[in-house]
Amino acid sequence: MSTIVRTALTTALAGLAATGPALAHHPMGGATPTTFLQGLLSGFGHPVLGLDHLAALVVVGLLASRAARGWFALPALWIGAMGLGVAAHLGSVDLPGAEFLVAGSLVAIALIAVLNPALPLAVTGPAFLIGGFAHGHALAESVVGAEPMPIAAYLIGLVIVQAAITTAIAFAARRLFPAGAEAPAGYRAAAGAMGAVGVVFLVIAARSLA
């Protein structure tokens, strides 16, 4: 299993390095949603098409899978912070270095998953709050200037798709990587690959400033 996971993820990362910026587009082609349906579809699609956002959700699910009980606390914390980030952006609250925070928070939570996924919520919570807020702030860019109805639909879509992805990953990881004293190598490889996605996006963000 570990070899298969490593091979698949290495291939995915190679593709990401070459095409990441082109793939991370809004589902509406960059247009601001104007209807409830467009807002909902945008909310469903944006966290999936944005590979840095998707990788973060995978790590959130992986970490949730290692919780003995209350596994839903980490996804709930992330999604709640994401909502605050969206509200902040829509309220014209600037977030300096947003791209670096988005990618850096992904790297940070991936490192937690690789090095010590059993850390308590009191320790990992701040990283999730900062990461969720930064990702939410970035996701809100798609609906800046939209009417209240499509914005509400966008938020509904964001919450539904992120809850679904993190829950699915948590359950799949529990089945693939049974709980034990230490996380299996395959689990750490998957988390490390998601962290590598964050590193790629950090490089992209740095190059954009050059």
Side-chain angles (χ1 to χ4, degrees):
M1 176 62 69
S2 177
T3 301
I4 295 175
V5 171
R6 288 172 188 270
T7 301
L9 291 174
T10 299
T11 302
L13 284 171
L16 170 64
T19 64
L23 291 175
H25 285 312
H26 188 276
M28 302 307 299
T32 302
T34 58
T35 66
F36 183 91
L37 181 59
Q38 288 180 355
L40 187 65
L41 293 177
S42 295
F44 285 154
H46 202 162
V48 178
L49 296 177
L51 297 183
D52 48 349
H53 302 304
L54 180 59
L57 294 176
V58 170
V59 178
V60 171
L62 287 173
L63 281 168
S65 74
R66 305 305 294 178
R69 56 184 177 180
W71 64 269
F72 52 84
L74 284 178
L77 184 62
W78 180 272
I79 294 172
M82 177 275 301
L84 292 176
V86 170
H89 194 153
L90 295 179
S92 300
V93 176
D94 191 29
L95 185 63
E99 291 184 356
F100 287 97
L101 283 174
V102 167
S105 63
L106 168 55
V107 173
I109 62 174
L111 283 174
I112 292 173
V114 171
L115 300 176
N116 193 350
L119 285 173
L121 182 60
V123 177
T124 60
F128 274 70
L129 284 172
I130 294 171
F133 186 92
H135 281 257
H137 195 278
L139 289 167
E141 182 64 29
S142 299
V143 290
V144 171
E147 295 296 324
M149 184 63 74
I151 289 176
Y154 183 69
L155 286 172
I156 292 171
L158 284 180
V159 170
I160 291 175
V161 75
Q162 292 187 78
I165 291 173
T166 53
T167 299
I169 293 295
F171 278 99
R174 280 178 179 267
R175 183 174 293 273
L176 289 172
F177 312 117
E182 291 188 1
Y187 172 96
R188 295 180 187 275
M194 296 304 100
V197 172
V199 171
V200 171
F201 276 90
L202 277 175
V203 172
I204 293 172
R207 286 181 175 177
S208 69
L209 296 178

